[in-house]
Amino acid sequence: MAHNESDWKKFSAMVPNLRERYLAEQNARISAILTDPGKTETDRFWTAMEEMQKQAKVLRQCLDGHSRSKMWLFVLSMVGVGMLRKKDLAEFSEEMQKSVKDSLAAYSKEIRDD
């Protein structure tokens, strides 16, 4: 699905902020895993390692290989993992917002509010 140049520029500009916000949340979660007093050091290590591997996959899926022609798919992926939220989507054109919302509705996905 093709989208306008303005949407592409906005998307390209917002990706670094989306990444940093998402990673701040994930780092806090991983930090909590590493300091969980209810687990052994070994359990903490392996649980944190597993979570980091999952998040590395998410980051590659959402951040590697951006192109204007695939922007829409990256937006859907980012919404799916909570990286892109309603307030972020509101930055795009009405056409882009509608196509994303329609696609999400078809798969019963919600856009994160916060």
Side-chain angles (χ1 to χ4, degrees), residues 44-101:
R44 289 181 201 161
F45 175 84
W46 290 113
T47 302
M49 175 66 78
E50 182 179 309
E51 187 58 32
M52 289 174 68
Q53 289 171 337
K54 287 179 189 174
Q55 291 308 315
K57 184 177 178 180
V58 166
L59 292 172
R60 285 189 296 274
Q61 174 188 348
C62 292
L63 301 173
D64 287 356
H66 289 164
S67 68
R68 183 176 171 173
S69 63
K70 294 180 182 177
M71 174 182 66
W72 180 72
L73 295 172
F74 281 100
V75 167
L76 291 177
S77 292
M78 290 175 169
V79 167
V81 299
M83 189 180 294
L84 194 140
R85 302 174 185 166
K86 284 184 180 181
K87 67 180 180 179
D88 305 314
L89 188 60
E91 299 291 321
F92 295 108
S93 68
E94 291 294 324
E95 175 192 8
M96 177 71 164
Q97 291 179 51
K98 183 178 180 341
S99 66
V100 169
K101 289 176 183 177

Side-chain angles (χ1 to χ4, degrees), residues 16-34:
N17 293 329
L18 297 175
R19 180 189 63 234
E20 292 304 309
R21 179 179 67 198
Y22 182 79
L23 283 173
E25 293 170 355
Q26 299 315 308
N27 287 343
R29 284 185 346 96
I30 292 166
S31 179
I33 291 168
L34 288 168

